[in-house]
Amino acid sequence: MKRTIVLLLAVIIVFCTSCDKPDNDGSEKCSDYRQAMRDFVIRISEAAHAKDNDFIVIPQNGISLITLEDNPDSELSASYLAAIDGHGQEDLFYGYPDDEVSTPADESEYLLRYLRRSREQGKSVFVIDYCAQPNHVADSYARCDAEGFVAFPAHRRNLDRIPTNGIHHENSDRISKLNEVQNFLYLINPEDFTSRQDFIHAVCATNYDMIVMDLFFNDGTPFTAAEVEQLRRKQNGGTRLVICYMSIGEAEDYRYYWQKQWKRNRPEWLGKENRDWPGNYKVKYWYSAWQELICGNDSNSYLSKIMAAHFDGVYLDLVDAYEYFEN
């Protein structure tokens, strides 16, 4: 009995030390940035599954969160893996440090050691390589096929175009589960489409098994549940999964939740602007105020809006934000 109590206390202590209670000045401290991000993703998953047990959760990058230590061979985080359904991984074979450039072999191998372990746990892996040259595209597909991953060689890092070079493993299947997906389209920037119907028609004219897209069109209005249902239809009669992109590691000043006064009177959790992506600001993602905006019970939370539009799941970007705070 005593041993059980000691173990329970140890678990409580470990859980509580990643993010402490607010200090007298209102700030919320964090001593374990990785665990704080795990806890955040788990919270998003739990909030979604409370409404829809089949809702899909896919974090992008930050693959090292699957282990409790910064080592691909260390113990797996069972709670984190139980909360997610797959992984998105950028630049696995092409794109780091620049588009159309082969990612260094040691970097690819490091990521692969994690990704393979996750795949062994039944998680789907989606790879976004940034390349357009036919030989690079073919190589990306071949290497991902060999690993059991699903590849999307993106021609532009802005992710604003539908590729014109055909679909790898094209099929007319009715896709209802993540592990059935054989190809996907990553199209989160609709600025080149003249209208939302133009966007919908362009996507419906393809046979991708899954699309990762934004909740909002260029005018800032969200896609409706009826429009998302349209987007599920492939041209050949099959159906696809429609997954919604959501950044959880940065705040974006073009989102509905942004308040103009934040630029001169910033909340405690709002950090510096990302020099590479103007309008995007680092956030202290462990702060309760930020998490409430993302996945609180309020119908105005980002996750609530996504689920109200009947997306099949959510694709979480900037999960690797813990690296910024560690460094």
Side-chain angles (χ1 to χ4, degrees):
M1 184 65 178
K2 288 182 179 178
R3 184 172 182 274
T4 301
I5 293 172
V6 170
L7 287 172
L8 284 171
L9 286 172
V11 170
I12 292 169
I13 290 168
V14 168
F15 180 78
C16 291
T17 53
S18 64
C19 288
D20 302 325
K21 293 180 180 179
D23 285 351
N24 292 334
D25 63 0
S27 63
E28 297 178 34
K29 305 297 184 183
C30 187
S31 57
D32 187 338
Y33 299 115
R34 293 176 188 244
Q35 187 57 46
M37 182 56 82
R38 289 190 197 98
D39 293 342
F40 189 15
V41 172
I42 291 169
R43 179 182 176 182
I44 292 168
S45 177
E46 289 176 345
H49 292 152
K51 299 177 182 178
D52 178 1
N53 198 48
D54 295 323
F55 196 76
I56 295 165
V57 178
I58 308 170
Q60 175 172 272
N61 302 330
I63 185 61
S64 63
L65 293 182
I66 70 166
T67 57
L68 295 175
E69 299 177 17
D70 188 13
N71 183 329
D73 298 318
S74 66
E75 181 183 353
L76 292 169
S77 174
S79 58
Y80 182 70
L81 283 165
I84 64 176
D85 300 281
H87 296 282
Q89 180 60 58
E90 293 183 292
D91 309 320
L92 181 60
F93 299 119
Y94 290 93
Y96 180 78
D98 294 305
D99 295 0
E100 217 67 68
V101 175
S102 295
T103 298
D106 58 344
E107 180 70 18
S108 293
E109 185 56 33
Y110 174 77
L111 294 170
L112 281 167
R113 289 173 67 189
Y114 283 107
L115 293 166
R116 286 164 181 159
R117 290 197 74 186
S118 186
R119 190 76 184 90
E120 289 168 1
Q121 298 299 312
K123 308 304 174 184
S124 299
V125 176
F126 301 94
V127 173
I128 306 92
D129 279 331
Y130 292 98
C131 56
Q133 294 180 19
N135 58 323
H136 291 168
V137 170
D139 184 53
S140 175
Y141 280 137
R143 295 169 77 176
C144 286
D145 283 349
E147 297 287 350
F149 303 161
V150 185
F152 179 69
H155 291 188
R156 291 164 55 88
R157 196 168 285 266
N158 282 344
L159 299 168
D160 57 356
R161 303 280 175 84
I162 298 175
T164 57
N165 58 335
I167 299 175
H168 194 57
H169 298 313
E170 188 171 2
N171 63 81
S172 59
D173 297 346
R174 298 180 65 84
I175 307 298
S176 60
K177 298 178 180 178
L178 197 61
N179 61 9
E180 297 172 343
V181 173
Q182 299 181 59
N183 52 70
F184 74 107
L185 173 64
Y186 198 1
L187 186 65
I188 60 173
N189 184 351
E191 65 183 9
D192 286 343
F193 294 89
T194 57
S195 69
R196 54 204 303 121
Q197 275 306 312
D198 180 34
F199 177 88
I200 292 168
H201 290 156
V203 172
C204 289
T206 72
N207 295 318
Y208 287 99
D209 288 349
M210 182 176 85
I211 177 175
V212 178
M213 58 176 282
D214 204 274
L215 171 61
F216 302 94
F217 190 63
N218 300 325
D219 57 4
T221 58
F223 285 93
T224 66
E227 290 169 332
V228 170
E229 184 59 34
Q230 282 183 269
L231 287 160
R232 284 196 178 90
R233 303 171 197 158
K234 299 183 190 178
Q235 185 184 44
N236 58 19
T239 57
R240 63 169 62 89
L241 296 175
V242 184
I243 307 295
C244 191
Y245 171 94
M246 178 171 66
S247 175
I248 65 171
E250 289 185 346
E252 300 153 313
D253 66 7
Y254 45 88
R255 296 299 185 186
Y256 76 95
Y257 57 71
W258 185 267
Q259 298 180 32
K260 291 182 179 179
Q261 67 266 26
W262 285 355
K263 288 193 176 181
R264 61 179 184 275
N265 186 21
R266 293 188 182 187
E268 177 70 24
W269 50 264
L270 185 62
K272 295 179 179 179
E273 187 172 16
N274 186 332
R275 289 178 296 180
D276 296 326
W277 295 95
N280 290 19
Y281 293 79
K282 300 295 182 183
V283 294
K284 297 174 183 177
Y285 52 83
W286 56 92
Y287 268 61
S288 55
W290 171 247
Q291 294 194 9
E292 284 297 308
L293 285 175
I294 294 296
C295 61
N297 292 327
D298 191 316
S299 61
N300 201 44
S301 76
Y302 209 143
L303 181 64
S304 294
K305 289 180 177 292
I306 290 169
M307 299 194 75
H310 294 180
F311 281 85
D312 296 299
V314 68
Y315 190 88
L316 307 177
D317 198 13
L318 275 299
V319 170
D320 55 351
Y322 59 86
E323 295 176 354
Y324 171 81
F325 292 97
E326 286 180 339
N327 295 330

